[in-house]
Amino acid sequence: DAKTTQPPSMDCAEGRAANLPCNHSTISGNEYVYWYRQIHSQGPQYIIHGLKNNETNEMASLIITEDRKSSTLILPHATLRDTAVYYCIVRDLHGSSNTGKLIFGQGTTLQVKP
Amino acid sequence: DGGITQSPKYLFRKEGQNVTLSCEQNLNHDAMYWYRQDPGQGLRLIYYSQIVNDFQKGDIAEGYSVSREKKESFPLTVTSAQKNPTAFYLCASIRRGGAFNTEAFFGQGTRLTVV
């Protein structure tokens, strides 16, 4: 199974960029990197995903290194409402199906401070 | 609107009783998943199903059972064999087919407390 490693916690000042790193050194060629976040006692919310190119949407940017062994989620202007646990996930393909297991790590608790 | 619904949001049961958690989706997704989350911890996979009438064990399946008789529904039964059932349970679904880049949708969770 491809696994990810994230720092357990990070702080960020409100209005500044939050850069959340993730290592996925065993990622294989067809596996995508996904980011989700979970606000306390709610279901995780999808943020962004990518394969090898950098991606940007209205919520965040995703930077994937050229060797694909790590990535960084960037929240360009963090707000207090961005305080959450952020999960980096690599899709684990199962058999001939292209809907494999979703394996979550411990995630990074981001605390945005005023 | 399409979505994934878990019910109830809070559930209390006496020790030794089986309890079934509901998960329904109207997104026409093929794959569904059950996770358990303990305080301050990440999500651990209990069971998953990629197609109707088929399911596989995840990392912590002992003490749980599932069924997948309909595409829309993937109920989880927490049996009396589960030693520490008190937890937050999350259900998710993913569309199958096409490229490998589909996102998962999560329900809002069921918080089970066994007393």
Side-chain angles (χ1 to χ4, degrees):
Chain A
D1 294 356
K3 299 210 183 289
T4 61
T5 305
Q6 300 175 252
S9 63
M10 292 182 66
D11 290 342
C12 178
E14 188 178 18
R16 305 298 289 267
N19 298 298
L20 291 90
C22 179
N23 287 322
H24 30 80
S25 57
T26 60
I27 193 170
S28 63
N30 286 333
E31 291 177 315
Y32 280 70
V33 179
Y34 285 76
W35 282 83
Y36 290 80
R37 73 179 182 185
Q38 185 180 26
I39 295 170
H40 182 62
S41 295
Q42 296 183 23
Q45 173 194 22
Y46 166 82
I47 301 173
I48 199 167
H49 71 275
L51 182 61
K52 48 188 169 184
N53 296 322
N54 299 338
E55 302 287 344
T56 296
N57 63 20
E58 65 278 4
M59 289 182 70
S61 295
L62 174 61
I63 309 297
I64 302 174
T65 57
E66 192 169 342
D67 63 7
R68 302 211 322 124
K69 293 185 176 182
S70 65
S71 60
T72 301
L73 178 75
I74 302 172
L75 308 178
H77 305 287
T79 71
L80 298 178
R81 285 179 291 183
D82 291 323
T83 292
V85 179
Y86 287 77
Y87 294 100
C88 167
I89 301 156
V90 172
R91 288 289 299 276
D92 174 27
L93 303 181
H94 175 70
S96 59
S97 166
N98 57 13
T99 307
K101 291 192 288 185
L102 282 182
I103 300 173
F104 284 75
Q106 296 300 305
T108 295
T109 298
L110 175 68
Q111 182 72 47
V112 181
K113 299 186 174 181
Chain B
D1 287 341
I4 181 166
T5 303
Q6 290 184 243
S7 60
K9 189 171 182 178
Y10 298 96
L11 188 56
F12 295 87
R13 277 294 181 269
K14 290 185 178 178
E15 192 172 347
Q17 289 182 335
N18 291 355
V19 60
T20 297
L21 282 59
S22 169
C23 179
E24 304 276 334
Q25 53 95 3
N26 60 3
L27 299 163
N28 200 33
H29 285 175
D30 294 282
M32 298 185 74
Y33 302 75
W34 273 107
Y35 293 89
R36 169 185 173 133
Q37 187 172 37
D38 293 287
Q41 303 295 313
L43 282 66
R44 291 186 290 167
L45 182 64
I46 305 173
Y47 267 100
Y48 65 107
S49 167
Q50 298 183 72
I51 197 168
V52 174
N53 293 322
D54 185 52
F55 48 83
Q56 288 81 37
K57 292 182 179 180
D59 299 322
I60 55 165
E62 185 175 350
Y64 299 97
S65 66
V66 293
S67 63
R68 188 82 188 280
E69 297 175 3
K70 298 187 299 182
K71 189 176 186 178
E72 301 79 18
S73 178
F74 190 41
L76 173 74
T77 297
V78 184
T79 74
S80 57
Q82 169 49 236
K83 293 188 170 71
N84 296 298
T86 294
F88 186 50
Y89 291 87
L90 284 159
C91 180
S93 70
I94 298 179
R95 178 176 61 85
R96 186 184 176 194
F100 301 118
N101 60 350
T102 53
E103 67 190 80
F105 289 80
F106 283 83
Q108 288 304 299
T110 293
R111 189 167 299 281
L112 172 64
T113 302
V114 175
V115 297

